[in-house]
Amino acid sequence: MGGAVNSKIKNMIQEARDGDSEIQVALGWLYHEGREVKKSFRKSFYWTAAAALSGINRIVYYNLSIAYSLGRGVKRNDYKAFLWAKRAAEMEYEDAMLAVAWFYFNGMGTVQNSCKAQEWYEKILAINPRNVSALFSLGQIYFFRREYDDVREYFHKAYKINQHVRACYYLGRLFLEKQ
C-alpha cells in the first residue's frame, strides 16, 4: 500500500509542477493535514501559494492569509495576511470578510480604522444577517463609541441567534449602568 500511495503522491507532485492548480490545492491540504505525506507547513504553503498565483479561488487566498497570520510555513507577516484576506473578502468569502474587518479594527497589517471595520461587518450582514460574529463586533464598535441604542440592537440580535455569552455580558452591563 505504501508504494501505491507514494506513487500517487509522486504523480500528484508532477501534475502540480506542470501547473494543475486543483492538484496544487490538494497537495497543500495533504501537507497541511499530514495525510498520505509527512506533515509540513512549509510544503503546504508552497503548494497553496502556487495555486493562489494561478488565481484559483477565494478559499486559497484566505488560506494564504491564515498562513501569513500564524507564520505557518512562511515568516509571519500581518501585511501580507491582510492583503490575501482582503483579496478573498472582495470575492464575498465571509470568513475573509471577518478577518479584514478584524485587521482594520485592530490595526494589524493595515492602519487602524474602525469605520472601515464597520463597513466590512455591514457588508457581511448584507450577505448573511445572522452572522453572529459580525453582529457582536458591530455591537463592540458602537459600545466603544458610546452609541448605546445601536449597541443594544446588535448585541440583542447576537444574543437571540445563539445566546452569545459576551453579548449577554454587554447587555447586562448596559442595564446595570442604565444606559
Side-chain angles (χ1 to χ4, degrees):
M1 176 100 176
V5 170
N6 196 14
S7 175
K8 176 183 165 190
I9 298 299
K10 283 181 181 180
N11 289 339
M12 288 178 71
I13 290 171
Q14 187 54 54
E15 289 178 47
R17 285 184 181 145
D18 290 341
D20 186 324
S21 56
E22 295 293 333
I23 297 294
Q24 292 167 342
V25 170
L27 279 171
W29 181 81
L30 289 174
Y31 279 111
H32 185 271
E33 297 297 314
R35 303 266 173 115
E36 302 183 47
V37 294
K38 184 178 178 187
K39 188 173 191 165
S40 169
F41 290 133
R42 185 183 59 76
K43 288 180 181 178
S44 174
F45 177 83
Y46 175 84
W47 289 116
T48 303
L53 295 175
S54 302
I56 183 120
N57 67 41
R58 61 193 189 170
I59 296 170
V60 171
Y61 300 153
Y62 181 61
N63 287 345
L64 280 181
S65 172
I66 292 170
Y68 276 114
S69 187
L70 299 175
R72 285 200 168 164
V74 67
K75 185 176 179 189
R76 189 172 181 276
N77 185 318
D78 290 335
Y79 176 70
K80 288 182 180 180
F82 169 74
L83 291 179
W84 283 108
K86 192 163 186 223
R87 192 168 182 182
E90 288 167 348
M91 298 170 83
E92 295 187 347
Y93 187 54
E94 277 186 58
D95 289 345
M97 294 169 82
L98 285 168
V100 167
W102 184 88
F103 281 120
Y104 275 123
F105 187 76
N106 292 288
M108 298 290 289
T110 189
V111 175
Q112 194 282 331
N113 188 328
S114 66
C115 292
K116 284 199 181 264
Q118 178 181 344
E119 287 174 22
W120 278 100
Y121 288 128
E122 288 171 352
K123 286 179 187 182
I124 294 165
L125 292 175
I127 295 168
N128 178 5
R130 296 180 55 82
N131 187 304
V132 175
S133 294
L135 289 167
F136 177 76
S137 297
L138 272 174
Q140 282 188 306
I141 288 172
Y142 288 120
F143 185 84
F144 293 125
R145 292 181 186 160
R146 300 185 187 279
E147 296 175 21
Y148 295 116
D149 289 338
D150 292 323
V151 169
R152 277 188 202 86
E153 175 188 349
Y154 287 103
F155 285 155
H156 184 67
K157 285 180 181 178
Y159 179 75
K160 278 180 68 177
I161 291 170
N162 75 347
Q163 282 77 47
H164 194 284
V165 174
R166 290 179 60 207
C168 184
Y169 163 78
Y170 279 102
L171 286 169
R173 210 169 132 184
L174 287 173
F175 177 77
L176 290 174
E177 294 174 11
K178 296 187 175 30
Q179 295 293 331

